[in-house]
């Protein structure tokens, strides 16, 4: 039953009895929120991705927002990201009143293009409009070229937030994404379609002790109960201090228990996703589609399996036909700058042509751990049939 539903969507969770038992244990415990399971999940993730500090929050968007606040974004400041992403990667700057701009993508990896980033930085330096924060997005789970981005971050003095919502378990030059070797902060999302899930959930990773402390405060109203952090010490057992303006972006222990259990299954999930991706590559041979290219320095977590259609004009018909056959195709992403909200900020069609061209040709095929080999073969057979019907020259 869950298999049928999973089959018809591009991505979904894979829950086990172990996951369910972990959640039930918390429900029977004293702590539904602000309890010990959150720190256990944070420590488990730190160990896994080799980061010093982790801050679990209510979702990936909240994580991006807190990262922007902690790095000082505000009016008059600027954040740059990829147009080929979910809107949250850009919205986080707008929550702070900062400006957003984009760097177009590499048409093969579909990630932010480093040469275009460098060219834009040179121009921005001349104009005195360098970014304060860059948000590279590991699209589909494929890491961006972070060493190159870190080199530019040093040269042009901007901070880096890795949006690794797609990339829990991915590796860059044999280093786990999230280690923050090349970034100030890395952000994960645990939405059910992502690699591991907590229902809703997110996490920030950093190696910077001061940033971690600030993020911990910001997650919970800016309030501290630690006497050592108070201005004039405590006034009694009831006393707390609000040091800054924070939010309530806490994760619950219920969610953290699910996350911890899912984390223990991460290798199993990654192995299955990578197997399915390899099989797609073989099954799609000869069809007029081009999968997202890999990169020699990266091991993708394969959150998404996206292809570019050779005949973009057929995309809509193909999409509708595949949906009518209950194949869970999707499209990732509508370029963020084309959203009506971003048009009100002055962005126009033609601003980021590679992302726009990719969007016209893009199709996401189902990829998740509840997809069987037979489901996948059926999906490709349906794609082949739909391509034939549309006259795409199969
Ligand atoms: C899912 C996602 C987010 C937001 O995560 P939520 O947990 O849904 O808030 C941000 N960026 C990207 C690229 C995503 O895919």
């Amino acid at each position: 039953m869950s298999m049928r539903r999973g089959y018809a969507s591009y991505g979904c969770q894979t829950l086990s009895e172990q996951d369910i038992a972990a959640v039930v244990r918390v429900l029977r415990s004293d702590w539904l929120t602000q309890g010990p399971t959150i720190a256990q999940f944070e420590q488990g993730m730190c160990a896994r991705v080799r980061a010093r500090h982790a801050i679990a929050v209510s979702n990936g968007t909240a994580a991006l927002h807190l990262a922007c606040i902690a790095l000082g974004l505000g009016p008059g400041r600027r954040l740059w990201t990829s147009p080929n992403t979910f809107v949250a990667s850009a919205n986080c700057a707008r929550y702070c009143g900062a400006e957003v701009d984009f760097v177009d993508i590499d048409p093969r990896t579909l990630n932010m293009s480093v040469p275009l980033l460098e060219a834009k930085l040179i121009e921005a330096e001349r104009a005195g409009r360098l970014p304060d924060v860059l948000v590279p997005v590991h699209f589909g789970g494929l890491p961006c070229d972070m060493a190159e981005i870190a080199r530019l971050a040093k040269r042009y003095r901007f901070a880096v937030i890795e949006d690794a919502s797609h990339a829990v378990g991915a590796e860059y030059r044999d280093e786990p994404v999230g280690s923050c070797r090349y970034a100030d902060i890395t952000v994960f999302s645990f939405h059910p379609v992502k690699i591991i899930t907590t229902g809703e959930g997110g996490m920030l990773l950093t190696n910077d002790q001061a940033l971690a402390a600030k993020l911990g405060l910001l997650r919970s109203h800016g309030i501290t109960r630690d006497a050592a952090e108070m201005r004039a010490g405590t006034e009694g057992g009831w006393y707390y201090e609000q040091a800054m303006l924070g939010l309530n972006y806490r994760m619950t222990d219920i969610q953290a228990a699910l996350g911890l259990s899912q984390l223990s299954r991460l290798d199993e999930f990654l192995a299955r996703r990578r197997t399915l991706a390899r099989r797609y590559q073989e099954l799609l041979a000869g069809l007029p589609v081009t999968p997202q290219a890999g990169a020699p320095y990266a091991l993708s977590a394969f959150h998404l399996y996206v292809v570019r259609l050779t005949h973009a004009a057929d995309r809509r018909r193909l999409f509708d036909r595949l949906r009518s056959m209950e194949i869970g195709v999707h499209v990732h992403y509508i370029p963020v700058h084309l959203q009506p909200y971003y048009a009100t900020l002055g962005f126009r069609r033609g601003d980021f042509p590679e992302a726009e061209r990719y969007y016209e040709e893009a199709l996401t095929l189902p990829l998740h751990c509840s997809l069987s080999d037979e489901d996948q073969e059926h999906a490709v057979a349906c794609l082949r049939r739909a391509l034939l019907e549309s006259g795409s020259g199969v």
Side-chain angles (χ1 to χ4, degrees):
M1 81 261 136
S2 72
M3 200 203 77
R4 281 330 281 183
R5 186 189 39 157
Y7 170 64
S9 71
Y10 78 90
C12 73
Q13 71 275 18
T14 301
L15 297 186
S16 66
E17 289 305 320
Q18 172 201 306
D19 294 330
I20 293 164
V23 171
V24 170
R25 252 191 322 277
V26 165
L27 290 174
R28 295 189 199 285
S29 79
D30 292 335
W31 301 94
L32 298 189
T33 190
Q34 295 178 282
T37 316
I38 295 157
Q40 285 168 26
F41 182 34
E42 290 169 341
Q43 283 154 19
M45 189 61 88
C46 278
R48 170 73 203 207
V49 304
R50 293 190 232 132
R52 286 208 194 99
H53 309 281
I55 298 93
V57 293
S58 47
N59 57 67
T61 305
L64 285 164
H65 185 193
L66 293 191
C68 288
I69 299 172
L71 291 170
L73 275 192
R77 304 278 173 128
R78 282 173 292 272
L79 176 148
W80 290 4
T81 187
S82 168
N84 182 33
T85 186
F86 184 56
V87 290
S89 313
N91 288 347
C92 54
R94 301 298 303 147
Y95 299 151
C96 304
E99 282 175 38
V100 172
D101 204 350
F102 302 93
V103 180
D104 209 352
I105 61 169
D106 176 305
R108 289 168 38 79
T109 65
L110 313 176
N111 280 332
M112 178 187 288
S113 156
V114 172
L116 290 180
L117 170 62
E118 187 155 22
K120 194 175 172 103
L121 286 166
I122 291 167
E123 213 174 284
E125 187 177 45
R126 271 196 216 113
R129 294 179 54 80
L130 282 169
D132 301 284
V133 171
L134 184 77
V135 179
V137 180
H138 304 319
F139 176 72
L142 180 74
C144 298
D145 195 350
M146 291 308 300
E148 283 297 292
I149 286 170
R151 174 180 67 80
L152 293 170
K154 203 164 167 196
R155 163 77 177 77
Y156 293 96
R157 297 165 178 279
F158 54 82
V160 177
I161 303 170
E162 281 180 74
D163 184 342
S165 296
H166 299 183
V168 178
E171 291 174 26
Y172 174 76
R173 297 193 188 282
D174 298 321
E175 180 108 21
V177 165
S179 75
C180 295
R181 174 150 177 204
Y182 304 99
D184 299 275
I185 296 172
T186 300
V187 165
F188 290 149
S189 164
F190 308 126
H191 185 276
V193 297
K194 307 288 166 76
I195 308 284
I196 64 169
T197 191
T198 60
E200 294 280 358
M203 197 176 275
L204 301 110
L205 289 305
T206 183
N207 293 328
D208 182 322
Q209 166 106 50
L211 263 183
K214 199 166 178 186
L215 290 167
L217 282 177
L218 287 168
R219 154 176 74 177
S220 194
H221 310 282
I223 283 175
T224 182
R225 291 170 193 279
D226 181 349
E229 289 175 7
M230 292 176 188
R231 226 171 3 174
T234 181
E235 295 179 6
W238 67 88
Y239 191 70
Y240 57 82
E241 252 183 34
Q242 185 190 342
M244 60 183 82
L245 185 63
L247 297 118
N248 180 354
Y249 278 173
R250 293 188 302 261
M251 175 179 276
T252 66
D253 286 64
I254 306 167
Q255 292 165 299
L258 181 54
L260 196 55
S261 180
Q262 287 260 302
L263 182 59
S264 75
R265 305 174 62 205
L266 177 57
D267 285 317
E268 170 200 328
F269 291 154
L270 291 168
R272 182 61 186 154
R273 285 179 176 276
R274 287 170 183 149
T275 298
L276 285 166
R278 199 168 51 242
R279 284 172 47 85
Y280 263 133
Q281 184 114 27
E282 290 160 12
L283 292 165
L284 294 172
L287 295 183
V289 301
T290 308
Q292 179 184 20
Y297 46 76
L299 183 59
S300 178
F302 286 105
H303 163 53
L304 300 174
Y305 197 87
V306 300
V307 298
R308 301 184 71 139
L309 300 171
T310 305
H311 308 284
D314 300 328
R315 198 262 305 269
R316 184 160 185 177
R317 217 167 347 131
L318 208 60
F319 180 95
D320 291 343
R321 183 72 182 110
L322 285 163
R323 280 285 179 93
S324 79
M325 293 190 268
E326 292 196 320
I327 305 302
V329 288
H330 215 291
V331 171
H332 297 89
Y333 283 101
I334 305 159
V336 176
H337 69 282
L338 297 183
Q339 294 291 351
Y341 170 71
Y342 282 90
T344 69
L345 301 178
F347 293 101
R348 294 286 173 267
R349 191 170 295 279
D351 285 348
F352 305 100
E354 291 293 355
E356 292 171 23
R357 195 167 314 130
Y358 159 67
Y359 165 61
E360 297 297 324
E361 301 170 3
L363 190 68
T364 304
L365 304 180
L367 176 61
H368 52 78
C369 294
S370 300
L371 193 74
S372 70
D373 286 5
E374 295 71 37
D375 291 338
Q376 187 185 26
E377 285 156 23
H378 178 63
V380 175
C382 289
L383 174 63
R384 186 184 299 274
R385 180 154 21 118
L387 283 165
L388 266 173
E389 287 168 1
S390 73
S392 280
V394 181

